[in-house]
Structure formats: C-alpha cells, structure tokens
Amino acid sequence: MCGIIAYIGNKQALPILVKGLRRLEYRGYDSAGVAIAQDGKINRVRSVGRIDNLDEKLKDHTVEGTVGIAHTRWATHGGVTEENAHPHFGCDGKLVLVHNGIIENYRELKTNLGDTHEFKTQTDTEILAHLIEFHYEQQKIHNETPDVRLAVEHALAHVRGTYGLVVMHADHPDLLVAARLGSPLVVGIGEGEHYIASDATPMLAYTKKVIFLEDGEVAEISRDNMETYNLKDEAIEKHVEEIEWNETQAQKQGFDHFMLKEIFDQPTVFEDAIRGRYNLLEGTANLGGLNMSDDEMRSVNRVILIACGTASYAAMVGKYAFERLAGIPTEVDVASEFRYRDPIVDEHTLVFGVSQSGETADTLAALREAKRKGAFVRGIVNVVGSTIARETDGGTYIHAGPELAVASTKAYTNMVAIMVLYALQFGRLKRVSPATGQRLLKALREIPAKMHEILEQKDLIKEMALKYKDYKDFLFLGRGINFPVALEGSHKLKEISYIHSEAYPAGEMKHGVNALLASDFPVLAIMTKDQLYDKMRSNVEEIKARKAPILLIATKGDEGAKELTDDVLYVPDTMELLEPLLNTIPLQLFAYYIAVELGRDVDRPRNLAKSVTVE
Ligand code: AGP
C-alpha cells in the first residue's frame, strides 16, 4: 500500500502535494517523492525516509508549477532506496508516474520491451512508465496525434496485477491521466482545479466534492474537466459525491479504528500475498526469493519457524503445512526461548524468521544464532528493507501493507498464506502430486470471497461480543490446526480488551482445565468440519454438561451445532489446511467489538508497542 496525491490547477502544486503526502503517510512511509511539470520539463525530487526528509531536501530545490504528482512509498518490489522511490520516469524524462499496487508480470513486460529501454530501478512500477512511453512513441511513429490517455490504455491492456496510477507528461501540462484496478483512487473537484489521491484525506481541506474511480476506469483530468473511460475506450458517466468524513475517518476509510480497517483489508491484501506466486498448471508455488537450488531444498530435513506473539501462532499453522505437504519435520520456536536454548541446527536445517515488523529483537537475535550455526536462514516479513529482511539470505515479503494497529490481523493471515505456499513449493519437489497442488491453489484462490462472507456477518459477531463482554475470563478451545487459531483468538482478546483468557487444545481439558468450567467461564470453541470434528464435538458436549456458556465457530451448514448452543458463528467450508485463514477472522472481530464496548484504546492498547525492538 502506498499513497498517491496529484494536483492540477492554478495554485502552486508543491505545498499541496507535500501536505497531502503527510496526510497519506499512514499508507506507507519508507520513501517519498514529488514531480512537477513546468516549461516542458519535469522537476523531480525524492528522498528515503519519512516526508520530513523530503521536505528538508526540497529546501535546496526550486520546484515550481501548477501540475504535479507525488507518492509516499511502502516498498513491495525493490529495497528502500531513493532510486526505487516514486515518481518514476520513462527513458526521455518527459513521462513520469506514481503507482500503488503490484505489477505481477513486470519481468515479462521488461523482457518484451527488449533493450530499447533502460531501467534504473528494481521496482515493478518502472515498467509502467516505459510501457506507456513505448505506446506513446508508437503513436508518433504512426503519425497519430500523441495521446497520453490512449497510451495508458494500450499499455494497461498488457498488464497483470493491480494499480492505482497517475501519469504526467511534460508536453501535456494541462493533463493528468489516472487509472485504477484494485488500488483506490479518488478525484477531488475544486474551482478550476482537480486533486487525485489514494483516499480523500489530502483533499478534504480544499473540497468535499469527489468522484471515486472504479476498477478498469481511466480518467483524463485537466484543470476544468474530467472525462472517464473504460479500458475499451468507451466514455463513462461518473457521479459526483459529497464526502462527509473528517480527515481521520478518511484515513481509516470510514472505519472507527485502524484495527477494524485492517481486519476488513484482509481479502484484498490476501490476494496481494498470493498474486503471481503460484503456477496453477503445475500445481506449485513459485516464491522467488528463497535463494535455494532445488537440491538445497531437497536437502532440508528440518524446518524451524521462529517468531513471537501472533506471528508465532501463524507459524504454528505453518508447521502443519510444512509437515503435511512437504513431509519435513517442523518446529515452532518462540524467539525469546530459542535464542537462549543452545538450539541444535545444522546445514540441513531451514530456519524462517516470521515477523510483521521485521524488527523484533528476539526474532532477530534467534536468526543470528541460527545463522552462526550454519542453518539456511530466511525471512517471512512484512516490512520491506527491515532488519530481518536485510540480515536473512532470502525469503518473502507477505505484502500485507502497513499495519498500524498494535494488534496484528492482516499480517497474520498473509503469513499463513505464504507459509502454505512455501510448504507446497517444498512438497512438490518431494511428494505432493500436481493434482493435490492444484486443489490447494484453487482453494486458496477462493479464500478472499470467503473472507468477505465472514466480514459480512460483523453485526452478528458484534451482537455476540455485547452478550459476552462482561465476563472476566475466557477459554478458547481448538484441536489440530485450529488449536493455533484458539491461541490467536485468545491473544487478540487479551491484548485489546484486557480480559483474561486462555487457549487450550480441547483434548487436554480432562487433564486439568475441566476443573475451571462453570457458568461464569465462557468457552469459545472452534468446531469446524475438519478431521477432528467428532472429537471436538464430544469435548463441547462435556462443556455443555458442566454449564459453561458456549460460543461456537462452526462450518456453514452444520445445523447440529445449534443443538449445543444458541451462539454459533458460521464460517464457509474450505480445505482443512486453510481453515485458520477463515476461522481467525470472527475471533478478531469478536475481540475488537468487546474492546470497543469496554472503552479500550483499541489501536494502542496499554503497555504494548507495535514493534518490539528491545528484549
Ligand atoms: C500481535 O497482535 C501483537 N501485537 C504481537 O504479538 C506481535 O505479533 C509480536 O510482537 C511479533 O511482532 P512481529 O510480527 O513484528 O515480529
């Protein structure tokens, strides 16, 4: 996720763009840049780090003009460097653009352009500038009047992936072209001026009148006019809407908290995580960054997943995936334990550090220890260019976008997705058949729609939360692959509502925890239709007999669940290995609504930090 702001009007663009970038910094903050057109030239200034750094750098430059584009980056492809920061040029320094999204086939497109275009960055975005420039030049070669919008449309016809983009051309100073597929863009309408941005936040100080671009739309925007087309170049009628949000609401896209927004981001960022990372025909994953030959991969006889907190519960799901698909014995180690345990690893051990921030001190120290002892050490990380990403010898970014709420939600689901893909990639080198791989990948592709189905039940989940909010203790139960889900549900409830809760594998109940069961001790049990369903059901029957209030997560269609309790939240059916991707979501929402109801500071719970960089 990155932030885009563009302006065309009669005021100086620079102050508007810089102010706009500050409003958008929540969408990405590793580097930023502006480009402004004037007198047939484009002036571009970029800087690594937050907007303050860019602002400082701009003091040494004169960047004047009334049309410009700007970007604050959250890196996905290519490290955090000034070279990789947007805006990006084509070859002749006249066409420049900013982009939010992922271009899946950028390597292929680069190859197709051949060596007539020189690339200067490691980003997936730069290809867009060159491709649009190529189509623009083709128009000239064919003696057509050069038309930036048409060049954009022709270029986008070859692109696979997602984009929200704004293009500016030095020879067309009265024009910006915006296009959207999968990444939001809003156009703000002022008097003789237009604003274009990733969300309405940066334009609210100037106008409340906006037009939301939809997927597959391309807009040609001048000072006084805006025309919108679809990718078949047919004109589209757009409606002007009046925005009622204030700035903070707009940043949260109308959600009350970042946590809620991030829970609802999950279907979209899940698609970002898996996009372009599998081959359905061969039934395998193709996560490129592992930096291991097939032989090295086959030589791995043990996997260790190192993580903390929510990342460690995601890793526990990963363990199931690695053992089931790849047949490799896999352990999950909490980083703070691993680093002091004198761990046994060797050159056949593959160690993954799993971390949203990529800065967690314990995880980092544990990975250093594993590296020292000769293991393959790789990262599964969200923040590009973070310390773990830099210090490991490869790995994969989970593409969840900035996660601002302290409670991790969308990073968890994307971590699970990546570990499942890795497990499949290893599995296909050993024992998994193409057909099994294809079945798994098809089921993975259905996950976003199923996540939506769960999110649509938010009102019912809220109702349950209100019913249960006053209990002082909770027990979360799961079995098999749903035990880590129970752990994560309990973790979420604790950290944002401050209610005491525990999670147990349901089979352990009779070894001690049964003694706690009573009418004031609610049990949230995950009883979806997996291979342990019957056993889990028996456990729930026992709890019912002991009069503890029961809230069930059950598979859609399991009417029998209603015999055990009135309180059932249904989730869609999926392959057992993928159940945590769905079953965790009602638990995130349950914790969220209880915390809100109890008046907690949901996005910034007491005593916790987003990034734990100290031991
Ligand atoms: C998650 O809700 C927590 N805030 C916390 O447990 C977190 O998952 C843990 O600190 C690990 O962080 P990391 O993923 O950035 O390494």
Side-chain angles (χ1 to χ4, degrees):
M1 194 158 81
C2 304
I4 289 175
I5 163 84
Y7 175 76
I8 182 163
N10 300 307
K11 300 177 200 144
Q12 281 300 312
L14 188 64
I16 294 170
L17 296 180
V18 173
K19 201 168 158 200
L21 286 179
R22 290 191 190 282
R23 302 282 178 277
L24 291 169
E25 221 172 0
Y26 79 96
R27 299 180 64 90
Y29 41 77
D30 60 45
S31 49
V34 295
I36 291 186
Q38 198 178 35
D39 303 333
K41 283 208 308 259
I42 305 273
N43 258 322
R44 175 179 70 170
V45 180
R46 298 175 298 169
S47 161
V48 167
R50 305 196 75 129
I51 311 304
D52 280 344
N53 296 8
L54 177 70
D55 210 7
E56 200 51 43
K57 197 165 173 189
L58 280 163
K59 288 183 182 148
D60 302 332
H61 294 74
T62 312
V63 189
E64 290 183 341
T66 56
V67 51
I69 60 180
H71 186 272
T72 174
R73 182 170 185 240
W74 176 263
T76 59
H77 295 64
V80 181
T81 62
E82 187 172 318
E83 208 50 76
N84 288 335
H86 300 220
H88 290 299
F89 278 122
C91 282
D92 68 2
K94 291 208 155 194
L95 188 142
V96 65
L97 60 76
V98 286
H99 164 235
N100 171 28
I102 295 173
I103 305 304
E104 204 179 300
N105 57 337
Y106 76 104
R107 285 194 195 87
E108 184 185 317
L109 293 170
K110 265 187 184 177
T111 314
N112 293 350
L113 268 190
D115 45 20
T116 51
H117 284 251
E118 194 197 333
F119 292 88
K120 298 203 170 82
T121 81
Q122 291 84 50
T123 65
D124 55 331
T125 296
E126 193 186 6
I127 183 62
L128 290 176
H130 288 271
L131 199 59
I132 296 168
E133 183 179 62
F134 169 80
H135 285 279
Y136 183 85
E137 291 305 321
Q138 287 295 305
Q139 295 170 349
K140 286 197 195 156
I141 290 169
H142 294 107
N143 289 326
E144 293 160 11
T145 314
D147 184 318
V148 182
R149 176 178 56 79
L150 285 180
V152 169
E153 285 175 15
H154 293 152
L156 292 180
H158 300 274
V159 166
R160 261 198 336 265
T162 54
Y163 49 80
L165 61 94
V166 185
V167 184
M168 181 168 77
H169 198 293
D171 294 342
H172 302 262
D174 189 32
L175 177 73
L176 290 173
V177 175
R180 173 196 160 140
L181 188 74
S183 300
L185 275 185
V186 189
V187 181
I189 306 161
E191 289 293 322
E193 60 182 9
H194 283 105
Y195 304 80
I196 310 165
S198 304
D199 67 45
T201 335
M203 55 189 78
L204 289 177
Y206 314 102
T207 180
K208 298 262 177 198
K209 279 200 260 169
V210 299
I211 289 176
F212 290 96
L213 283 189
E214 300 299 332
D215 282 351
E217 291 180 352
V218 181
E220 198 173 66
I221 299 158
S222 63
R223 287 173 175 78
D224 299 308
N225 195 28
M226 166 174 171
E227 280 168 22
T228 311
Y229 299 82
N230 62 22
L231 287 175
K232 289 189 218 137
D233 201 34
E234 296 158 340
I236 296 170
E237 195 70 36
K238 297 293 291 180
H239 300 289
V240 178
E241 295 181 36
E242 198 86 20
I243 288 263
E244 280 162 19
W245 296 338
N246 64 29
E247 207 169 271
T248 322
Q249 285 169 321
Q251 281 184 335
K252 293 173 187 161
Q253 284 159 29
F255 291 103
D256 289 340
H257 296 93
F258 279 112
M259 180 180 175
L260 190 60
K261 173 190 164 295
E262 287 159 9
I263 291 172
F264 275 79
D265 276 347
Q266 286 175 111
T268 309
V269 299
F270 182 87
E271 284 186 21
D272 290 341
I274 64 169
R275 176 174 293 112
R277 289 170 154 186
Y278 59 86
N279 179 333
L280 191 59
L281 205 65
E282 293 181 16
T284 190
N286 51 19
L287 288 157
L290 198 58
N291 296 333
M292 288 172 79
S293 68
D294 285 358
D295 281 343
E296 282 175 326
M297 286 172 75
R298 282 191 202 93
S299 77
V300 170
N301 61 17
R302 194 159 150 248
V303 170
I304 304 180
L305 304 167
I306 294 178
C308 300
T310 288
S312 74
Y313 304 133
M316 286 173 76
V317 178
K319 169 183 163 75
Y320 275 86
F322 272 103
E323 294 193 337
R324 236 175 243 184
L325 294 170
I328 307 174
T330 302
E331 294 156 38
V332 177
D333 243 305
V334 170
S336 52
E337 291 297 315
F338 179 91
R339 62 184 290 195
Y340 295 115
R341 215 193 49 228
D342 211 357
I344 301 163
V345 298
D346 61 22
E347 69 279 14
H348 297 294
T349 311
L350 170 59
V351 175
F352 280 108
V354 186
S355 172
Q356 187 287 130
S357 61
E359 301 293 348
T360 304
D362 284 322
T363 309
L364 188 58
L367 294 177
R368 285 177 182 152
E369 184 62 20
K371 206 168 179 177
R372 195 172 299 126
K373 295 193 163 152
F376 294 104
V377 176
R378 303 292 184 262
I380 295 174
V381 169
N382 193 33
V383 179
V384 173
S386 54
T387 312
I388 292 177
R390 281 184 281 111
E391 288 202 12
T392 46
D393 301 317
T396 291
Y397 291 117
I398 63 169
H399 291 341
E403 198 182 55
L404 301 185
V406 164
S408 185
T409 52
K410 58 180 180 171
Y412 167 89
T413 29
N414 277 20
M415 284 168 183
V416 170
I418 293 301
M419 282 185 274
V420 167
L421 285 178
Y422 264 134
L424 176 62
Q425 199 162 326
F426 276 84
R428 286 286 287 116
L429 289 178
K430 291 178 159 191
R431 54 190 219 162
V432 173
S433 69
T436 305
Q438 283 164 349
R439 256 199 315 282
L440 179 75
L441 291 171
K442 284 184 185 156
L444 258 186
R445 293 204 307 193
E446 290 169 1
I447 291 293
K450 293 181 176 180
M451 286 175 164
H452 275 298
E453 247 186 81
I454 298 171
L455 294 171
E456 277 162 19
Q457 297 179 62
K458 69 174 189 350
D459 292 338
L460 177 63
I461 300 171
K462 186 174 178 180
E463 221 175 273
M464 299 287 172
L466 297 192
K467 180 167 172 185
Y468 282 86
K469 72 178 177 26
D470 294 321
Y471 287 100
K472 299 287 171 250
D473 307 278
F474 270 86
L475 180 63
F476 285 71
L477 287 184
R479 293 190 77 129
I481 201 156
N482 281 307
F483 171 50
V485 174
L487 283 163
E488 172 57 5
S490 165
H491 189 74
K492 280 288 89 81
L493 185 67
K494 278 190 271 259
E495 66 178 335
I496 60 167
S497 76
Y498 319 151
I499 294 176
H500 165 250
S501 85
E502 299 194 37
Y504 262 82
E508 271 288 290
M509 291 295 288
K510 56 176 76 66
H511 301 288
V513 189
N514 268 348
L516 293 175
L517 293 174
S519 59
D520 61 350
F521 190 42
V523 177
L524 195 155
I526 300 134
M527 198 186 76
T528 42
K529 289 254 168 147
D530 53 32
Q531 55 174 317
L532 294 170
Y533 173 81
D534 291 335
K535 293 194 183 301
M536 188 68 200
R537 199 182 158 101
S538 308
N539 295 135
V540 176
E541 305 262 11
E542 284 169 32
I543 294 162
K544 185 178 171 171
R546 286 165 180 84
K547 306 270 186 288
I550 299 170
L551 172 54
L552 284 179
I553 307 295
T555 305
K556 199 164 96 182
D558 180 6
E559 292 308 321
K562 289 271 184 198
E563 293 159 12
L564 299 169
T565 175
D566 290 338
D567 301 337
V568 184
L569 295 171
Y570 285 108
V571 292
D573 193 18
T574 184
M575 281 175 82
E576 181 173 320
L577 200 53
L578 306 185
E579 282 189 1
L581 293 166
L582 300 178
N583 296 355
T584 309
I585 295 177
L587 307 189
Q588 296 168 344
L589 284 169
F590 182 71
Y592 169 79
Y593 286 120
I594 288 192
V596 170
E597 207 49 41
L598 296 179
R600 308 301 190 220
D601 186 351
V602 174
D603 283 338
R604 290 199 182 87
R606 67 183 183 200
N607 309 336
L608 297 177
K610 183 65 187 162
S611 187
V612 187
T613 53
V614 290
E615 203 184 330

